[in-house]
Amino acid sequence: MDAQLSKLSFEDALAELDRIVRGLESGQMKLEDAISAYERGAALRRHCETKLSEAEMRVRAITQRDGTVDVAPLSEFDEPTGGTAQ
């Protein structure tokens, strides 16, 4: 992942991905431009998935115990599998 992409917030990456999708769906791009846009879109999708995974891990680290909120070390949790939180 390039350095500029890794600095993008989730929201900025998602907005750029949305613009790319709309551009590709319009069918008005030249073939080479469409391929480049598709490649950028794929990188943005991976970046967004990474950001979401990181956020999920942070949320999963917050656990409810005896009516108080405790923060558990991330090592107590498995990697996210797309299922429900433990």
Side-chain angles (χ1 to χ4, degrees), residues 17 20-21 23-24 29-46:
L17 182 56
I20 289 171
V21 169
L24 289 170
M29 292 178 141
K30 293 181 180 180
L31 179 59
E32 285 302 315
D33 294 338
I35 291 169
S36 294
Y38 186 87
E39 290 171 339
R40 176 68 177 180
L44 286 164
R45 180 191 57 82
R46 285 189 304 273

Side-chain angles (χ1 to χ4, degrees), residues 25-85:
E25 287 177 340
S26 75
Q28 301 301 311
M29 292 178 141
K30 293 181 180 180
L31 179 59
E32 285 302 315
D33 294 338
I35 291 169
S36 294
Y38 186 87
E39 290 171 339
R40 176 68 177 180
L44 286 164
R45 180 191 57 82
R46 285 189 304 273
H47 176 70
C48 287
E49 287 175 345
T50 298
K51 289 287 190 183
L52 285 173
S53 179
E54 291 169 358
E56 180 182 5
M57 290 300 293
R58 290 177 65 191
V59 169
R60 289 176 68 193
I62 301 169
T63 59
Q64 190 81 16
R65 293 188 185 135
D66 299 327
T68 61
V69 176
D70 294 322
V71 178
L74 289 178
S75 61
E76 288 186 22
F77 297 98
D78 298 329
E79 287 296 313
T81 59
T84 58

